[in-house]
Amino acid sequence: MHEYPITEKIVDITKKHGEKFRASKIGAITLVVGEQSGFIGESIQMYFDIIAEGTICEGAQLTIKGVKPQLKCSACGAFFVRAPLSFACPQCGGDGEPTEIGKEFYIESITIETEEEEAAGPDGEASGVAGTGNGEAGSVASPENGEVGSVAGSGGEAGGAAGTGNDEAGSVASPENGEVGSVAGGAAGTEGKRDA
Amino acid sequence: MHDVREITVMENIHGENDHIAYHINEDLTGKGIFVANVMGAPGIGKTTVIKNLIAKLRGHMPYVIEGDIESDIDTRALRAMGIKAFQINTFGACHLDAPLVHNAVQNIEFDEPGILFIENVGNLVCPAEFSIGEHTKILICSVTEGSDKPYKYPLAFEKAGMIILNKVDLAPYLEFDESFFMKGLRAINKNAPVIKASSKTGEGFEEAAGWLADQAAQALAGR
Ligand SMILES: Nc1nc2c(ncn2[C@@H]2O[C@H](COP(=O)(O)OP(=O)(O)OP(=O)(O)O)[C@@H](O)[C@H]2O)c(=O)[nH]1
Ligand SMILES: [Mg+2]
Ligand SMILES: [Zn+2]
């Protein structure tokens, strides 16, 4: 139930990026879904085939990268996956504090197929193309302290990036006390790009 | 020419929800409305707590949006008390999201500054994941639920601005391990006040209302 509208959103976002590159088909979509994002990969998968039907996403191979939530020890700084009914650090027994690791929920990449004469560039400035040294996308908005980036899966260094093409979504401030940028998997915004 | 390429997207799927939530917050802040997202399991006492807080919050015009899967009994009860209450039915959905709240808020006339309580759908999991434009989240839990809830539903506890431990009048009949509860809660949330309350004895609501009034004053200062 809960995954249906969000899967529509995934198809919409993918279409938007695909259209920017004049894709005739989306071959694959890679999602990063933290276990604490509240979304279940299997359910997304199930709805995806139904929702994608008749769109350029039809038949796309959906890859879902799960991320286990990690806590950070307030005493020794270690990152760890907690044991059931405990928040204690396995190394020193200190209290584990929540991190953004495990709350990710973003589209990492898509594979597009185009049928045009010249390789279609994006209409206007858009997210970096993987392979051309993802400097563009990767360098933006890696969340402070790099907590997320390290696990987000995109090659280790650049996890939390908001693509340059998606200022709208990427820059949104969730209105809670300033934690903003690092919310939900680091795909959320850069400072200074926040909506005025 | 057939060309296949991989494109880095890195787009937050919650982006649109959060964007709408941001605007709800901005709009209501501008109108002098402080927004509290009230979360907790079914039957934990969300509506009862809201009524008790409103009774203590003199000088703040109260507004309530009731999120419910399908009924409007809570809304009717609040209206019968003379409170401006509005209904959102999610028809099966397990949480409120920003677009639903946006639609509701657009149809409300906020003729005076005040405090808007949004009672989320009874659920300890999903509501914690969605911003709906609130300034703070109030988590209602209860001694009847058992003391392991911070460990089983950490996100709700982590995100709460204030935690009300409700129904403490029932504590003598239950085995509620308060130190285990507080230990887990404090590991993941260092700052939220944890207030013991009971609608039977009335305890706790003065303090909780005081905290809310302070938060409202801070959030709305300099708007
Ligand atoms: N003993 C006792 N009962 C309480 C207290 N607070 C609420 N209740 C009872 O708990 C039941 C549920 O209270 P509600 O306020 O309707 O709970 P809710 O969380 O709004 O419920 P839903 O909206 O259906 O999820 C009612 O029978 C209340 O009278 C309390 O402090 N002590
Ligand atoms: Mg209720
Ligand atoms: Zn440690």
Side-chain angles (χ1 to χ4, degrees), chain A residues 35 64 102 108 161:
Chain A
E35 284 180 14
I64 295 172
E108 183 178 274

PDB file of all heavy atoms in Angstrom, chain A residues 35 64 102 108 161:
ATOM      1  N   GLU A  35      17.325   0.642   5.312  1.00  0.00           N
ATOM      2  CA  GLU A  35      16.317  -0.170   6.011  1.00  0.00           C
ATOM      3  C   GLU A  35      15.450   0.676   6.932  1.00  0.00           C
ATOM      4  O   GLU A  35      14.390   0.256   7.351  1.00  0.00           O
ATOM      5  CB  GLU A  35      16.992  -1.291   6.820  1.00  0.00           C
ATOM      6  CG  GLU A  35      17.449  -2.417   5.934  1.00  0.00           C
ATOM      7  CD  GLU A  35      18.111  -3.543   6.717  1.00  0.00           C
ATOM      8  OE1 GLU A  35      17.987  -3.586   7.960  1.00  0.00           O
ATOM      9  OE2 GLU A  35      18.778  -4.366   6.067  1.00  0.00           O
ATOM     10  N   ILE A  64      17.960  -2.820  -6.288  1.00  0.00           N
ATOM     11  CA  ILE A  64      17.760  -2.109  -5.034  1.00  0.00           C
ATOM     12  C   ILE A  64      18.913  -2.418  -4.097  1.00  0.00           C
ATOM     13  O   ILE A  64      19.166  -3.570  -3.752  1.00  0.00           O
ATOM     14  CB  ILE A  64      16.405  -2.493  -4.415  1.00  0.00           C
ATOM     15  CG1 ILE A  64      15.292  -2.011  -5.356  1.00  0.00           C
ATOM     16  CG2 ILE A  64      16.257  -1.879  -3.027  1.00  0.00           C
ATOM     17  CD1 ILE A  64      13.904  -2.463  -4.995  1.00  0.00           C
ATOM     18  N   GLY A 102      21.306   4.370   6.700  1.00  0.00           N
ATOM     19  CA  GLY A 102      20.150   3.497   6.859  1.00  0.00           C
ATOM     20  C   GLY A 102      18.845   4.224   6.582  1.00  0.00           C
ATOM     21  O   GLY A 102      17.788   3.613   6.548  1.00  0.00           O
ATOM     22  N   GLU A 108      19.954   6.281  -7.432  1.00  0.00           N
ATOM     23  CA  GLU A 108      21.383   6.507  -7.602  1.00  0.00           C
ATOM     24  C   GLU A 108      21.719   6.752  -9.068  1.00  0.00           C
ATOM     25  O   GLU A 108      22.402   7.708  -9.409  1.00  0.00           O
ATOM     26  CB  GLU A 108      22.150   5.290  -7.084  1.00  0.00           C
ATOM     27  CG  GLU A 108      23.650   5.440  -7.151  1.00  0.00           C
ATOM     28  CD  GLU A 108      24.343   4.206  -6.580  1.00  0.00           C
ATOM     29  OE1 GLU A 108      24.537   4.157  -5.356  1.00  0.00           O
ATOM     30  OE2 GLU A 108      24.648   3.278  -7.363  1.00  0.00           O
ATOM     31  N   ALA A 161      25.604  13.041  -2.883  1.00  0.00           N
ATOM     32  CA  ALA A 161      25.443  14.122  -3.842  1.00  0.00           C
ATOM     33  C   ALA A 161      24.027  14.360  -4.298  1.00  0.00           C
ATOM     34  O   ALA A 161      23.265  13.453  -4.522  1.00  0.00           O
ATOM     35  CB  ALA A 161      26.288  13.814  -5.068  1.00  0.00           C
TER      36      ALA A 161
END
